[in-house]
Amino acid sequence: MTKKMMLSKMTTQPNQASSCKIGLDDGDPPTLRDLTERLRLTPNDGKIWFDDRRMVLLGANAFGVLRREIIESLGFSRACSLLMRVGFSAGSADAAFVRKHWPLNDEAGALTAGERLHAVMGMVKVETVRRDHDIPNGIFNAEFLWHGSIEAAEHINAYGLSREPVCWMQLGYASGYASAFYGKRVIYRELECAGCGGSFCRIVGEMTNQEIGSTHDLSWLTPGEYLAPEARKSSRQTTGVTTASSPASIHEKIDTQKIVGISAAVSIALQKIERVAPTPATVLFNGESGVGKDLFANELHRKSNLANGPFVALNCAAIPDTLVEAELFGVEKGAFTGAEKSRPGRFERANGGTLFLDEIPSLSYEAQGKLLRTLQNGEIERVGGAHPIQVNVRVVAASNKDLFKEVQNGLFREDLYYRLNVFPIRLPPLRERQDDIPLLIEHFLYRYSNVYKKNIPGLTRKASEALLDYSYPGNIRELQNLIERGVINALDSEPLNVFHMFDDVGFATKLNPPSGLNIDPTGELEAGTSGPDLFGRGKIDDTQKSAKYHRRSEAEILSNALYKTDGNVSKAARELGVTRAKLAYRIQKAGLDPSLFRHL
């Protein structure tokens, strides 16, 4: 199939589309009925549910008041960025919901589901103008009209007509939904806005990458700075490059030390860094291995008053116990066999800057005591030395273990723990940063495509879903390795597929496939031991069926599902984890009549 044939297109005229009434059951699943049937109200418990997610029914006036308070507190620019990030997170969550319940949807169906969800949530009515998308080859261009935007209406109520588009949360939602579904950054922009006096809002969406990112305002993708403008200006003045470098080396430095993320967890961590950076307080980063503690430590250094000084890092777990003190405090000539000359330790090299001690629980008890003394009086003494040396160093520590438990177990000094734990910052694992995965995928894909001189246009649908559903025990470092491996394995101009990145060792067990299904190393769905091979999704031969699985007939499964749901096809589809349209087709093919299962 040619690239042109793969391109899915849809074009309608606005005046034609707006005159059409869309029924609850019209179109491919999930239909509006499929989505509205997921809503459940349990007023006795004070709860509203959309599928398994708790919701809140918020009045438009209350939403407008909340929006106005954010704008008045942060200003228009930072309020815009914040609300777009909130919308991005909501869109990402809804994309995960659609992937879970309608896993076989094609790209067009996925987009339609997002449009309908946007309407069901009461934000806006969406009208499609055009869609051009060929995701594996990096093509996505779409245009929509929004009618009845709640953001535009509430902005006008508060401030009157605006000179610039104001549907910030909805733009973030559309960007987050598409990005999370395709595993590639998709950005929507508002060309016309009802908040500016128009009769509708016009938005366009397209894939972006770091090569063309400068042509778009993408500043909202980085969690904002919440200090006063004067403090932010002072901080920025101390974060420039202090050594002469070529443009290429500067670009590489920025790229490799960039914190990529839009999730609330990352935003909280960065806000804490911004608050503590101007102070001399000791900071302790807590997080699993691979979450990027070194990047956050670098960010803290760049925002601190010592930014013009050196940043020195030491992985305490990589240094033998016998050499840790020499590495930290330096050594005098003749202090021990092999010490042929004096040399400074990490504290002296970091003088006037920041010393980052990673994996600090690995320090020996003796080294912990000497570190505590240095933190208390600002002095070090070289191994074999006789005179103290004064140092001005900010210590930043990191641990992938619970230090308090280490103290309780007698493995870490309690006094040092309290000295380090002045300002703790928890860094979340990647499984708590699902919103960030598409941005991280694009970041690493761009980096390694450049490193290995390959043109990798994008990812296949299977690859995107695999990366979005993976549990990442190795966190961001593991995702980085997967993308690098994929770029190495893929041919030039070939999109990444699952088999480029994953081998078959433990892969299926780390994913969350639909009930009764596994995913093989090529990304195909295959039947598992926990359920039937229904609806053509299995990849299993007759020998396996007879030897291992002993399944009931499809008709029996369908009958049981209809019996349990009183003949309600939509409920039966939810029970089986398939689309209503797919189930209705199978019921008809099996010769079953749902009405016969009612009131039995």
Side-chain angles (χ1 to χ4, degrees), residues 266-283:
V266 171
S267 180
I268 291 170
L270 290 177
Q271 289 176 42
K272 287 186 175 182
I273 284 175
E274 192 171 354
R275 292 191 189 103
V276 74
T279 75
T282 304
V283 176

Side-chain angles (χ1 to χ4, degrees), residues 238-274:
T238 64
T239 58
V241 178
T242 58
T243 57
S245 304
S246 67
S249 64
I250 293 174
H251 174 78
E252 179 65 21
K253 180 179 179 180
I254 294 173
D255 182 55
T256 56
Q257 295 184 352
K258 181 179 181 181
I259 295 177
V260 177
I262 198 172
S263 63
V266 171
S267 180
I268 291 170
L270 290 177
Q271 289 176 42
K272 287 186 175 182
I273 284 175
E274 192 171 354

Side-chain angles (χ1 to χ4, degrees), residues 82-384:
L82 174 62
L83 290 172
M84 289 184 77
R85 290 196 299 275
V86 171
F88 191 98
S89 179
S92 177
D94 280 354
F97 162 77
V98 172
R99 287 201 316 273
K100 172 184 174 183
H101 292 287
W102 294 276
L104 301 183
N105 270 4
D106 59 13
E107 279 78 10
L111 274 183
T112 301
E115 298 163 23
R116 292 170 182 166
L117 275 166
H118 219 167
V120 168
M121 298 301 177
M123 297 297 290
V124 71
K125 177 184 176 182
V126 182
E127 175 189 338
T128 303
V129 177
R130 63 180 171 85
R131 294 187 193 137
D132 299 337
H133 46 77
D134 179 5
I135 304 303
N137 289 292
I139 297 174
F140 182 93
N141 290 286
E143 182 176 352
F144 302 95
L145 301 184
W146 285 345
H147 301 277
S149 165
I150 187 174
E151 273 197 283
E154 290 304 319
H155 192 92
I156 291 175
N157 288 341
Y159 298 103
L161 293 179
S162 173
R163 291 179 294 179
E164 297 179 357
V166 295
C167 298
W168 305 326
M169 186 179 291
Q170 293 164 210
L171 281 175
Y173 179 95
S175 300
Y177 181 91
S179 297
F181 216 103
Y182 300 129
K184 190 86 188 271
R185 187 171 65 182
V186 176
I187 299 298
Y188 279 87
R189 293 177 293 123
E190 194 171 12
L191 303 184
E192 301 176 49
C193 183
C196 301
S199 56
F200 52 75
C201 306
R202 183 185 300 273
I203 68 164
V204 295
E206 57 189 350
M207 282 190 172
T208 65
N209 55 49
Q210 297 188 21
E211 292 177 300
I212 65 173
S214 59
T215 64
H216 302 269
D217 181 12
L218 303 180
S219 58
W220 62 273
L221 286 170
T222 301
E225 298 173 338
Y226 292 90
L227 293 178
E230 296 79 11
R232 293 199 311 276
K233 180 178 179 181
S234 174
S235 176
R236 289 193 187 100
Q237 288 175 346
T238 64
T239 58
V241 178
T242 58
T243 57
S245 304
S246 67
S249 64
I250 293 174
H251 174 78
E252 179 65 21
K253 180 179 179 180
I254 294 173
D255 182 55
T256 56
Q257 295 184 352
K258 181 179 181 181
I259 295 177
V260 177
I262 198 172
S263 63
V266 171
S267 180
I268 291 170
L270 290 177
Q271 289 176 42
K272 287 186 175 182
I273 284 175
E274 192 171 354
R275 292 191 189 103
V276 74
T279 75
T282 304
V283 176
L284 175 63
F285 287 107
N286 295 285
E288 297 177 7
S289 179
V291 296
K293 295 186 284 290
D294 54 337
L295 293 183
F296 284 89
N298 264 288
E299 183 71 10
L300 173 64
H301 173 70
R302 287 194 295 268
K303 290 182 177 294
S304 74
N305 296 328
L306 301 174
N308 289 325
F311 178 86
V312 178
L314 175 66
N315 186 337
C316 300
I319 307 297
D321 289 344
T322 55
L323 298 179
V324 166
E325 291 184 42
E327 283 294 326
L328 282 173
F329 308 114
V331 60
E332 290 290 356
K333 180 180 178 181
F336 51 79
T337 304
E340 299 178 353
K341 61 180 180 179
S342 300
R343 60 180 178 86
R346 303 297 174 105
F347 267 98
E348 287 182 78
R349 288 161 57 187
N351 195 26
T354 301
L355 175 61
F356 175 52
L357 300 177
D358 198 6
E359 308 292 354
I360 197 156
S362 300
L363 285 179
S364 67
Y365 225 72
E366 184 178 359
Q368 291 176 32
K370 293 187 176 181
L371 175 60
L372 175 63
R373 187 168 62 251
T374 299
L375 292 175
Q376 290 173 336
N377 57 29
E379 292 180 347
I380 65 165
E381 190 171 301
R382 289 180 178 179
V383 176

Side-chain angles (χ1 to χ4, degrees), residues 399-437:
S399 173
N400 63 349
K401 298 178 181 179
D402 186 332
L403 272 188
F404 185 70
K405 288 185 179 179
E406 294 290 293
V407 171
Q408 291 177 319
N409 294 332
L411 300 175
F412 199 82
R413 292 181 62 112
E414 184 176 9
D415 46 6
L416 178 58
Y417 166 74
Y418 287 114
R419 186 64 182 82
L420 293 173
N421 200 44
V422 175
F423 197 89
I425 298 178
R426 178 181 178 270
L427 301 181
L430 190 53
R431 60 181 174 274
E432 296 179 12
R433 296 177 52 187
Q434 291 291 319
D435 305 353
D436 298 333
I437 292 178

Side-chain angles (χ1 to χ4, degrees), residues 521-539:
T522 67
E524 296 289 350
L525 290 171
E526 64 179 4
T529 57
S530 60
D533 181 21
L534 279 178
F535 315 126
R537 296 184 296 182
K539 283 275 185 176

